[in-house]
Amino acid sequence: MTDADNIVAETAERIFADLADGQTINHDKQGNWKAPLWQALTDAGLPLSWVPEECDGSGTSMAEGFSVLSVAGRAGVAVPLAETMLAGWLLAQAQIKSPEGMMTVAPASPRDRLTLNTHGTISGRARGVPFAKDARHIAVVTSGIGGASIALVETSACRIDNGLSLADDPSDTVSFDNVKPVAIKSAPSGFDQNSLLLMGALVRSQQIAGALETMLGIGVNYSGERVAFEKKISKFQAVQHNLAKLAGETSAALAAASSAADAFSSGAPLDDALFLEAAAAKIRCSEAAEKGAAIAHQVLGAIGFTQEHILHRYTLRALAWRDDFGSESYWAVELGKLVAARGADELWPLVASR
């Protein structure tokens, strides 16, 4: 990570530390913490990190944006920072200027498709769209006779059926019924819905890895404070073994997510090698989320399951992020298709090239 990346990450860390303290959020049942936090993030230009200056963004690098996502994952906050960053990135692919305010993207599931009609409107349904009810705009990828297009749509023009993720964050169904977009342009050559899903999977991998770091820190700190049978539970071999496994899962997730982020930050075209990086990252991080969440709750015991404790803010979000933009099962199948299509002799050269 460069010095510039460190500066951006440190800015994000300071904002989250000042305005998104875990205990404060847990006790704020009205959600009054959200507006000051979002304003601070906006003032720092973080939501539009991946938007070039000519499209009214911050113009920071891909690496800087990924560092922000890692920090956001460690904070585990319920604001659409990652979704707005992803929407800005998507719009920038077609040189569409990003509006102010919260945004999200659609489709967020491989099962859904949005169609560009011949008269320029958009139809279709997108399920599991994160924070759709809170967003002012949605950046979408559509398919039509002329190929893929990228569009900016006002959420007020769509029908939104509210839903919740495993972490009780908005995960809504958005229906597009001949919706007229604010702006629409053809997608770059080779860009399609799968490109968005792949980038979304990488975004979620960064957040999961960050959340796992916090889970590990909570577990280590708690084991050093909790006393049972007249000694700290960190002295028990079973607890030490569990924490070691959690550290291993966290390290594996960080390695996979960081490798994929570095590959995408290099500016190389989206090819089989980048597909391997992003798909493998989502698969490995999702597996780590499942194992890591279970271990963290084992270490903390009953108190970790209560609403009063902050652990669930990270474990539930990490588990919920597994399904966004394709689950690990989906990407495992897609990765298997890629390997089968290339042939057995091409597998090792592809893996070794990374």
Side-chain angles (χ1 to χ4, degrees):
M1 183 177 290
T2 66
D3 291 340
D5 296 332
N6 281 322
I7 292 172
V8 174
E10 288 169 5
T11 299
E13 285 176 348
R14 286 196 300 271
I15 292 174
F16 285 124
D18 292 342
L19 300 171
D21 173 71
Q23 293 294 355
T24 301
I25 292 175
N26 247 16
H27 289 93
D28 184 0
K29 304 304 181 184
Q30 304 302 317
N32 295 322
W33 59 271
K34 292 184 180 181
L37 173 61
W38 186 258
Q39 187 60 54
L41 293 171
T42 302
D43 292 343
L46 298 180
L48 299 183
S49 295
W50 283 332
V51 179
E53 293 180 4
E54 58 268 25
C55 290
D56 298 338
S58 302
T60 55
S61 68
M62 293 294 294
E64 290 169 334
F66 285 126
S67 70
V68 171
L69 290 169
S70 180
V71 173
R74 293 198 294 272
V77 293
V79 293
L81 174 61
E83 291 74 16
T84 302
M85 289 176 60
L86 186 58
W89 169 84
L90 176 59
L91 295 173
Q93 304 307 303
Q95 295 298 304
I96 297 175
K97 291 186 176 182
S98 292
E100 296 180 354
M102 298 177 180
M103 294 190 289
T104 188
V105 296
S109 169
R111 300 175 299 168
D112 299 328
R113 293 288 185 275
L114 299 179
T115 303
L116 178 62
N117 302 314
T118 55
H119 47 282
T121 59
I122 299 172
S123 297
R125 184 178 67 163
R127 292 162 290 188
V129 178
F131 294 98
K133 75 179 185 67
D134 295 335
R136 294 174 59 185
H137 294 88
I138 306 175
V140 304
V141 176
T142 69
S143 58
I145 297 176
S149 297
I150 296 172
L152 176 66
V153 174
E154 291 182 335
T155 51
S156 59
C158 307
R159 190 184 81 239
I160 298 178
D161 297 318
N162 296 340
L164 293 174
S165 71
L166 185 63
D168 284 339
D169 294 335
S171 181
D172 309 311
T173 297
V174 183
S175 298
F176 299 77
D177 186 9
N178 291 316
V179 171
K180 185 174 180 59
V182 176
I184 186 167
K185 292 184 180 180
S186 296
S189 177
F191 192 98
D192 56 15
Q193 179 175 320
N194 201 51
S195 305
L196 169 61
L197 292 173
L198 204 63
M199 187 63 174
L202 180 50
V203 165
R204 288 298 191 241
S205 297
Q206 292 289 322
Q207 292 178 279
I208 290 172
L212 282 164
E213 287 187 276
T214 301
M215 290 182 218
L216 177 60
I218 291 173
V220 170
N221 291 336
Y222 179 81
S223 68
E225 298 170 353
R226 177 75 166 89
V227 175
F229 303 105
E230 300 183 351
K231 64 178 179 179
K232 295 177 180 178
I233 64 171
S234 61
K235 302 298 183 181
F236 290 98
Q237 188 175 22
V239 174
Q240 294 173 351
H241 181 63
N242 268 342
L243 288 174
K245 289 197 296 182
L246 178 54
E249 293 297 328
T250 302
S251 297
L254 285 169
S258 298
S259 178
D262 288 344
F264 271 70
S265 298
S266 68
L270 183 58
D271 56 9
D272 288 352
L274 287 189
F275 182 93
L276 169 65
E277 289 276 7
K282 185 66 191 297
I283 294 167
R284 188 61 187 91
C285 289
S286 296
E287 291 176 349
E290 180 183 18
K291 296 175 182 177
I295 294 171
H297 280 291
Q298 282 181 322
V299 171
L300 268 74
I303 193 173
F305 286 93
T306 64
Q307 286 295 319
E308 289 75 19
H309 201 280
I310 63 173
L311 179 62
H312 66 85
R313 293 183 55 239
Y314 307 97
T315 56
L316 290 180
R317 284 197 175 86
L319 293 172
W321 289 333
R322 293 171 61 197
D323 291 330
D324 290 344
F325 305 104
S327 65
E328 66 260 45
S329 297
Y330 170 79
W331 288 113
V333 170
E334 294 301 305
L335 192 55
K337 290 178 181 177
L338 171 65
V339 172
R342 289 176 64 96
D345 293 340
E346 292 294 323
L347 175 59
W348 177 246
L350 176 63
V351 174
S353 67
R354 308 315 307 158

